[in-house]
Amino acid sequence: MASALKNLSVYDENNVPDASEMKLGIVVADWNAHITHVLYQGCVEPLLKHGASEENIFTVQVPGSFELTSGARILNGQQSLDAVICLGCVIKGETSHDEYINMAVAQGLTHLGLTTGRPHIFGLVTTNNEQQALDRAGGKHGNKGVEAAVTAIRMVHLKKAPVTGKEKRSIGF
Ligand code: RBF
């Protein structure tokens, strides 16, 4: 696969909007904490680097990835957030639990995003084994927490700065 060794966590910092006015929620699953807590560190760092203040980052921990959507729903009820980032790690085992959890999270976050109008970012690492998860939590494939943070900032910016039709026409070509 062409992208097999591409580290997508390396991004152009100059192209990330300012996050200083953004209020962001982060929901972290404690299952596979040695992975998810590294995702969390990777997520908070770029948020702060791009201007978000500590007081405007609201974090809650939930037991497992299946609870990410409920955690996001609860956080939304407590704070008026611009976006919610959900971080978890589901590793395939002997049974098909991973498929049910992953699908529930994907559908739940899509639903929350569309019904609340606020971006809900899918920061769920879904892997076949632990090594693949480690590779994506500060390993050779970067840190998916970083990518989730940058995605959240970009999506909130999209909402705060509506399209005018005067944007530059070239998209990376
Ligand atoms: N939660 C995770 O975040 N990652 C996992 O890899 C994971 N594996 C699970 C495997 C089984 C068989 C079960 C029953 C649960 C697992 N969970 C996992 C926990 C799940 O997300 C949730 O916290 C519990 O099912 C309680 O609703």
Side-chain angles (χ1 to χ4, degrees):
M1 205 200 313
S3 64
L5 289 175
K6 196 171 170 195
N7 181 345
L8 297 174
S9 303
V10 177
Y11 65 97
D12 180 1
E13 290 180 8
N14 299 317
N15 274 340
V16 178
D18 175 49
S20 54
E21 298 299 315
M22 296 181 185
K23 223 173 152 184
L24 302 156
I26 306 178
V27 188
V28 194
D30 284 335
W31 192 287
N32 292 321
H34 62 301
I35 305 285
T36 62
H37 292 189
V38 178
L39 296 177
Y40 178 70
Q41 286 168 7
C43 181
V44 170
E45 216 169 272
L47 294 180
L48 296 174
K49 185 193 282 183
H50 293 288
S53 61
E54 302 237 16
E55 313 84 74
N56 281 338
I57 299 173
F58 299 84
T59 302
V60 291
Q61 289 173 253
V62 293
S65 294
F66 189 77
E67 284 73 44
L68 285 170
T69 48
S70 302
R73 177 73 182 79
I74 290 166
L75 197 50
N76 274 308
Q78 294 174 350
Q79 299 290 336
S80 176
L81 300 165
D82 291 309
V84 182
I85 300 164
C86 293
L87 303 171
C89 171
V90 179
I91 300 174
K92 198 178 272 298
E94 288 183 1
T95 62
S96 49
H97 67 274
D98 58 309
E99 294 172 24
Y100 292 95
I101 298 172
N102 296 341
M103 196 55 74
V105 176
Q107 289 180 345
L109 294 184
T110 301
H111 179 77
L112 282 172
L114 296 177
T115 52
T116 63
R118 298 177 194 133
H120 281 66
I121 310 302
F122 184 90
L124 186 64
V125 171
T126 62
T127 61
N128 294 322
N129 55 53
E130 185 177 14
Q131 187 57 53
Q132 289 178 343
L134 290 167
D135 290 344
R136 289 156 179 78
K140 70 180 180 187
H141 289 306
N143 187 323
K144 293 294 167 192
V146 174
E147 295 173 38
V150 173
T151 303
I153 294 173
R154 288 187 57 190
M155 290 305 292
V156 173
H157 178 73
L158 198 61
K159 200 173 167 196
K160 286 185 185 277
V163 177
T164 63
K166 292 181 181 160
E167 288 73 23
K168 62 175 181 179
R169 292 279 178 253
S170 64
I171 303 178
F173 296 102

